[in-house]
Amino acid sequence: MESSDRVGEDEEHTVTETNGKAAARDAVTEELSHVDAIHKAKELISQLLSDPFLQDLPPDISLDEVKSKLALEQGRAITLNLRRYDDEVIPIIVLQGATVHDLMKAVEKEITRRCVRSGRASHLSWRYVWRTYWLAYGQQRLEDRRSKLASYGIGNHDEIVFVKRLKTKG
């Protein structure tokens, strides 16, 4: 009797495997291709961004941008205005307890993001930029990367600028 029980179990197992493979094939044909899924996701995002509260966000927004906007809305972040030499003002969002190093990283991300979105060069040598320029608030150069922005008296909506570093002899 045991051998006949085994045969029945094996037949059931084979039928179940066959049905499972058929179901898997049907599921694959119903799934979207990667390109179609991306297209559908972008459509959903554009529908969400048509909401009046979200209209100022770009359609290709990153998770990092969303987090910084939320932190700003919740009062955990401040906006600093970076004035470039061509008088373009770029808003930079940093957390309230940010250091000069955090500000430098936020400047890098925002300017790189703007370059990519406008179709300009997507790679900048930030090492060169930071060796050539200081960030400054008023007449103070932000030299110590570990210092908190608050120690320089920097607050919400204050203006920072790039200042050319002068070579010191010696």
Side-chain angles (χ1 to χ4, degrees):
M1 279 262 196
E2 287 181 19
S3 62
S4 64
D5 288 339
R6 248 190 219 162
V7 171
E9 286 177 14
D10 289 341
E11 288 174 6
E12 278 182 37
H13 186 65
T14 305
V15 170
T16 306
E17 278 184 22
T18 306
N19 289 340
K21 288 178 184 176
R25 260 186 272 124
D26 291 341
V28 169
T29 57
E30 291 178 11
E31 287 181 11
L32 296 174
S33 70
H34 178 72
V35 174
D36 292 337
I38 296 291
H39 180 69
K40 186 143 184 106
K42 285 186 178 185
E43 283 179 3
L44 290 171
I45 290 171
S46 65
Q47 287 174 358
L48 286 172
L49 293 178
S50 66
D51 185 324
F53 294 112
L54 303 174
Q55 281 183 340
D56 62 335
L57 300 177
D60 58 343
I61 192 166
S62 67
L63 181 60
D64 187 41
E65 287 177 285
V66 171
K67 286 180 179 180
S68 62
K69 292 281 188 181
L70 285 172
L72 189 62
E73 290 297 321
Q74 294 170 349
R76 294 182 292 122
I78 60 173
T79 302
L80 300 175
N81 296 316
L82 174 65
R83 182 173 297 279
R84 293 180 17 168
Y85 283 117
D86 60 358
D87 278 341
E88 179 184 0
V89 176
I90 301 171
I92 306 292
I93 299 172
V94 293
L95 294 177
Q96 287 204 355
T99 62
V100 173
H101 181 73
D102 297 334
L103 174 60
M104 292 167 72
K105 290 298 178 189
V107 167
E108 289 176 18
K109 285 180 183 178
E110 185 60 31
I111 291 178
T112 302
R113 190 177 299 132
R114 284 174 176 255
C115 287
V116 168
R117 286 187 179 147
S118 68
R120 294 185 296 212
S122 61
H123 177 74
L124 296 169
S125 174
W126 286 104
R127 185 175 181 187
Y128 171 78
V129 170
W130 299 130
R131 277 187 303 165
T132 310
Y133 297 96
W134 293 107
L135 285 175
Y137 170 66
Q139 297 299 317
Q140 298 176 337
R141 293 184 305 207
L142 308 180
E143 295 177 2
D144 184 9
R145 293 180 181 208
R146 292 173 289 170
S147 294
K148 300 264 185 202
L149 296 177
S151 69
Y152 290 100
I154 299 175
N156 198 18
H157 298 293
D158 284 343
E159 188 172 286
I160 54 175
V161 294
F162 283 111
V163 175
K164 184 85 169 167
R165 283 185 183 222
L166 299 176
K167 292 184 179 180
T168 56
K169 292 185 179 182

